[in-house]
Amino acid sequence: MQHSKIAGIGYYVPKNVYTNTDLSRFMETSDEWIQERTGIKERRFADRLGETTTTMGIEAAKVAIARAGITAQDVDFIIFATLSPDYYFPGCGVLLQREMKMKEIGALDIRNQCSGFVYALSVADQFIKTGMYKNILVVGSEKHSFAMDFETRSRNVSVIFGDGAGAVVLQPTQKEGQGILSTHLHSDGADAEILAMFYPGSHANKWMPEKPGYPAQELGGLFMTTEQLESGAALPYMDGPAVFKKAVVKFPEVIKEALAKNNLEAKDIDLLVPHQANLRISQYVQQLLGLRDDQVFNNIQKYGNTTAASVPIALCEAWEAGKIKEGDLVCLAAFGSGFTWASALLRW
Ligand code: ACO
C-alpha cells in the first residue's frame, strides 16, 4: 500500500512581537516569572482587525503549496485544525478554500486543540493511503489574542499563548520506508473541564439569566449579561498544575508507542518536535526519554504556545534551519485540552 509524505511545508507568524515585559504593562507579571515557569520570552499577536486565523493559515499554506511544487488548484482536500476559528461556524476550511480560489473540494475542520495538527495529519495520512486524495493541505492556525483577557485575573493563561500558523501538503509516495510511518491518537474526557472555554456552547444555557417572558428561557439562546461577561465566564479556563501532571505522562507514553510500533528506540530519533506547550514540559519529556539537546526542537521561547499551529511552525523552522535532512527519523507529539494526545513518526 502507498503511504504519505510531507511534500511541502510553511509557516507564518504575525509581525507584532510582545515581550514578557510588554505584558507586564497590562497585568501583574514579570519576565522572570514567565521565563522560569514556561521558558517563554516573547510571542506574536495578530493584527486585531487585519489578520484572522484563516488569513494566517493562508499565508502558511501558500508557502507549503509552493514548496510542494503544486498550485492551490491542485489541492484536492483541506484539513484545518484550530480552536480559534474566524466564526463559530462555518469553519476556517471553507474560508481558506474561498480565498485561495480552490476547486470545490472537501474541507474538514478539526477541533482537537493542541493535538489538532497531529490529528489532522493522521486523517490526511489515511486518505492518502487509500488513494482517495493526492494533494492534501493540512493547516494548523490560531489567533488566541482575540479571546484572551490581559488582566491580572487571567495571567496564568494569557502569558502562555501566542498567534501563528503552519501548514503542510501531504502527497503519496511509493518509496519504501519514507514518509509517515505511523500515527497514534488518544483521548480521555475525564478531565475535559480542566482546560476549556465554555462559551459559546450549548452547555452555556445553565448560565442564562432569569429574564421573564424571554422565549429562550425555555428554549435556549446564546446571550450573556454584561455582569457574566465581566465575571470571566466567557474566558478560557486552565488548571495549570493539573495539565502539567498529565502532559508529562502522556507525551512520553505516546512517543514510546510510536517507537514500539516501528521497532525503534528513543536513541533512533533524529528530531523530536513536541507541541510547544511549555518549555518545562518539553525538558521533562526529553529527560524521561534520555534524549540529547540536539534531538529535541523547541521554539516556544519566541512564539509562546500556538496550540494547533505549534507543531507545524516548529517542524518548518527546524527544517529551514537544516536540522532535518532526508532520511531523518522525526517524531511529532502533542498533548492538549480534552485531554487528547497524539504522535506521528516520519522518515523525512
Ligand atoms: N505572573 C506572575 N504570577 C503568576 C502568573 C503570572 N503570569 N500566573 C500565575 N501567577 C501566580 C499565581 O497567582 C499564584 O500566586 P499565589 O501563590 O500568590 O496564589 C502563583 O503564581 C502560582 O500559581 P500556579 O497557577 O500554581 O502557578 P504554577 O507554578 O503552576 O505555574 C503554569 C503556572 C505556568 C501555567 C504551570 O502550571 C504550567 O506550566 N502548567 C502546564 C500548563 C501548560 O503548559 N499549559 C499550556 C496549554 S495546554 C497545552 O498546550 C497542553
Side-chain angles (χ1 to χ4, degrees), residues 46-75:
D47 276 350
R48 195 172 68 87
L49 300 175
E51 288 180 311
T52 69
T53 296
T54 300
T55 68
M56 291 189 288
I58 288 171
E59 293 308 314
K62 282 180 190 165
V63 180
I65 287 170
R67 284 178 171 162
I70 59 169
T71 69
Q73 286 66 44
D74 296 319
V75 171

Side-chain angles (χ1 to χ4, degrees), residues 28-30 33-34 37-38 114 155-156 159-161 195 238 240-241 243-244 275 277-278 281 305 335-336:
E28 284 172 35
T29 191
S30 67
W33 193 98
I34 300 171
R37 302 294 217 290
T38 69
C114 303
R155 62 184 176 177
N156 70 318
V159 300
I160 292 180
F161 296 95
L195 177 52
M238 178 176 76
V243 174
F244 198 105
H275 160 54
N278 180 321
I281 293 177
N305 179 336
F335 174 88

